[in-house]
Amino acid sequence: MRARDFGLASCHTCGLVVKLPAVGHVHCPRCASPVHSRKVNSLSTSWALLLAAMIAYVPANLFPVMSVVSFGKRQSDTILSGVIYLFVHGDWPLALIVFVASVLVPLLKMIALTYLLVTVQRKSYLRHQQRTRLYRIVELVGRWSMVDIFVVALLAALVNIGNLATIEPGAGAIAFTTVVVLTMLAAANFDPRLIWDHQGEK
Amino acid sequence: MASSREPVDLDNVPEAEVDTEHKGFPVVWLLPIVALVVGGWLFYKTMSEKGPEITIVFNNAEGIEEGKTKIKFRDVTLGQVDRVDLSDDLKSVVLVATMSPGVKHYLTDASRFWVVKPRVGAGGVSGLGTLLSGAYIAFEPSTEGKSQKKFTGLEKPPVISIDKKGTKYHLKADSLGSMSIGAPVYFRQLDIGEVTGYQLADDYSHVDIGIFVESPYDKYVRTGTRFWNAGGVSLSMTASGVKLEMESLISLLGGGVAFETLPEFTDSPPAPAETMFSLYENRTRSLEQPITRVVTYMLKFTGTVRGLSEGAPVEYRGLRIGTVKAIELGEDPLHQGILVPVVLIDIEPQRTMAYKEVSATSKREVTALEKNPHKRIAELVKKGLRARLQSGNLVTGQLFVDLDYFPDAAPAEVLTAGLYPELPTVPNSLEGILASVNRILDRVEKADLQGTLVNLNQLMVSTNNLVGELEKKTPELASELSTTLKTANSALVKLESAVSPDGAIGSQVQDALREISSAARSIRVMAEYLERHPDSLLKGKGAP
């Protein structure tokens, strides 16, 4: 039994339960905020943000995230080349952390979101609970991918010793930030209630 | 308010108010499009900014570091070495470098790469800056030629940079001497070019030295220009003194080339690039007249030719007119089967010509010898022209071939039977003396000594007889001689008395002498008077 089944919805702003008319955009009679039974255009918006994130993911991995200029020698590293560099030099725990946080997590997040969106669109009635849990994890983990960006931003600001060493953010960093922000937005725009909307229909 | 446990009165739920309808394009879908556009633009920008990747092959990678060594042109960094690999056959190293995108059009087969590191040469020290900064690869862009990505680096920096204007020439030298790459080229002692390289000719017959003459001086290189080796010091002793020739201290150490154009060749056309010139050993040699025509003659000497060498001069009364070409053995024309030294000489008619300002095109007056040397020499031989060996230097005993007239010599002609026409020869002066002595001795030998001795014997006998007869008459002769002596003695006594001062003759002589003495005194007085009063000659002796 859902609120929707009774033609009811709660106002997101003041919590007033209102009756929804059959058609049209409506607003709360008490606080005049828009009232929807589900997030408006949730699937479409999520899809758009997710696609944009996927597109941005490509340059994020191909372009250098960070350039270290030391004694006139410039070394530019992409995320993966940095991971390889760490791994080759024996810092494999660190390499693993960077790999998981910067490569695996955004990738898995995008896969997870895609999975959620596809299943909702196909009105799947299976594994509602697992899917909901997946969504929670996605939302929770998403922000931790920003660690990389913080590191680059901090280093770029701190390490600026002229010819000795200078660290410059690369185009990859911006793309990567975009990926993280877009996936977070996509996750936020996804309405988990949609997962449960099709449990009864067979 | 109703608690959550109570059933909800759905009828009392307020109804949401309907907004005015507004539906448009979902703005959020612009995001993927923007992402696509920005991403695409990023890729395009990166791809277009990425410079060409080239490979350069060097013999070794001394001083080159991966990811650090720069490729520079005029000290502007245009690229960087990314990787240093070994070639498959391990004989060279292959540098993989990324160039700046703008350089793409300057990477042609005429572009050159070389490693700049400190170098010390005769001409100076270069590349000192790389001691601190490390070696870098110098790049010389070129727009000419075909575009390419694989290059072979030069082991030594090129002597001439591409932007230097000038012309390349070749010099043909017997040996390299002290020539080194980068050695200067002088024109009137101005340093106007460099030796760019040298290599042995394909047939090993000479050394091919490449030189570069900078513009605008290359226009002074004419087809008639002479080049000579300016390296080292040339010391020559002539009758006018000691002459020391030296271009510069640098050329003393590293060699060098100088050139000059003879006045009569300044009108000749400018030499095209890559022209091959002869490199003479010194200036004097180079400025000698070019010998383009020679007439070869054969000389057969009966005596020794020790001291005569190839290249020795052939002179006519001290003027050089040719060169000894070869010295061989040949058959004696007079005595069959006997080998004698045969000397081949080149008569160089051009040496005999007199230079005169005849016309603009030809400044030479052609002599009869030059016009038809064979005919002219045949005529001269009829008049007594002969060849002989003369000693040119008493210390070293070097000989030269001297041509001169010997009107007394046996008549001879130019023999044209052999490979070369043969000039008649006469023995040299020492040989001549020896020959005369020989002749005398021959005659002495041939004379009738026996008869002479018999005659001499007879003469002695008759003399003996004569003396014997004289001996028999000696006493008689002795007495007669005694009386004669006595008579003579008395005569002498008489003469003595007559001549003595007391004698008749003696007193007369004394008187005469006294008279002469007083006369002389009077003359002296008169002379002194005349000296004081020359006018007395006209006026007479005035009153005292």
Side-chain angles (χ1 to χ4, degrees), chain A residues 22 59-60 77 81 94 108 115 120 165 175 197:
Chain A
D77 274 314
S81 79
L94 201 58
L108 289 176
Y115 170 70
V120 166
D197 274 351

Side-chain angles (χ1 to χ4, degrees), chain A:
Chain A
M1 191 175 80
R2 303 172 296 172
R4 201 181 197 177
D5 298 333
F6 297 94
L8 295 175
S10 130
C11 171
H12 301 297
T13 314
C14 65
L16 181 70
V17 176
V18 292
K19 209 181 258 177
L20 285 174
V23 291
H25 288 261
V26 294
H27 62 264
C28 172
R30 190 162 65 179
C31 68
S33 300
V35 177
H36 313 289
S37 165
R38 299 286 180 263
K39 284 181 187 167
V40 182
N41 292 331
S42 168
L43 284 180
S44 164
T45 311
S46 291
W47 267 124
L49 291 168
L50 186 62
L51 271 179
M54 281 171 168
I55 291 165
Y57 187 70
V58 178
N61 277 290
L62 289 180
F63 284 99
V65 186
M66 184 171 85
S67 297
V68 181
V69 184
S70 177
F71 294 107
K73 184 183 170 186
R74 169 187 288 267
Q75 184 166 3
S76 300
D77 274 314
T78 63
I79 296 170
L80 265 177
S81 79
V83 170
I84 292 167
Y85 177 86
L86 287 171
F87 189 79
V88 166
H89 284 73
D91 278 337
W92 63 266
L94 201 58
L96 204 66
I97 290 174
V98 175
F99 180 71
V100 169
S102 301
V103 183
L104 216 54
V105 166
L107 193 67
L108 289 176
K109 205 162 79 175
M110 284 188 293
I111 292 169
L113 278 172
T114 313
Y115 170 70
L116 289 175
L117 285 169
V118 167
T119 49
V120 166
Q121 229 161 20
R122 294 182 65 181
K123 303 183 172 34
S124 171
Y125 52 88
L126 295 167
R127 295 191 283 277
H128 300 92
Q129 283 196 330
Q130 286 95 322
R131 280 192 277 153
T132 312
R133 194 178 296 140
L134 181 67
Y135 173 73
R136 277 206 304 275
I137 294 169
V138 163
E139 240 198 339
L140 190 74
V141 152
R143 65 203 70 169
W144 289 101
S145 292
M146 285 303 270
V147 165
D148 267 26
I149 302 307
F150 289 141
V151 168
V152 171
L154 281 173
L155 284 177
L158 288 173
V159 186
N160 201 343
I161 332 175
N163 275 334
L164 278 178
T166 306
I167 289 176
E168 295 169 0
I174 295 164
F176 189 77
T177 315
T178 314
V179 171
V180 175
V181 170
L182 286 177
T183 48
M184 281 168 77
L185 285 175
N189 263 287
F190 180 74
D191 197 334
R193 284 174 291 185
L194 290 170
I195 299 169
W196 298 94
D197 274 351
H198 306 291
Q199 58 173 322
E201 297 161 30
K202 271 215 172 173

Side-chain angles (χ1 to χ4, degrees), chain B residues 288-317:
Chain B
E288 276 175 3
Q289 293 313 316
I291 306 301
T292 53
R293 291 180 55 206
V294 293
V295 190
T296 307
Y297 279 91
M298 186 167 69
L299 307 175
K300 284 182 175 170
F301 290 102
T302 47
T304 173
V305 292
R306 185 187 174 84
L308 186 70
S309 52
E310 284 176 19
V314 175
E315 293 185 357
Y316 169 73
R317 292 188 176 171

Side-chain angles (χ1 to χ4, degrees), chain B residues 181-229:
Chain B
I181 290 176
V185 174
Y186 293 103
F187 176 60
R188 301 195 186 281
Q189 295 201 330
L190 263 72
D191 186 349
I192 53 134
E194 275 172 295
V195 172
T196 57
Y198 47 78
Q199 63 180 43
L200 206 58
D202 293 338
D203 56 354
Y204 316 118
S205 63
H206 64 268
V207 181
D208 184 352
I209 299 173
I211 61 162
F212 177 81
V213 178
E214 284 167 33
S215 190
Y217 302 101
D218 53 352
K219 72 178 178 215
Y220 301 118
V221 179
R222 304 280 171 159
T223 47
T225 295
R226 304 296 168 74
F227 288 83
W228 70 88
N229 190 337

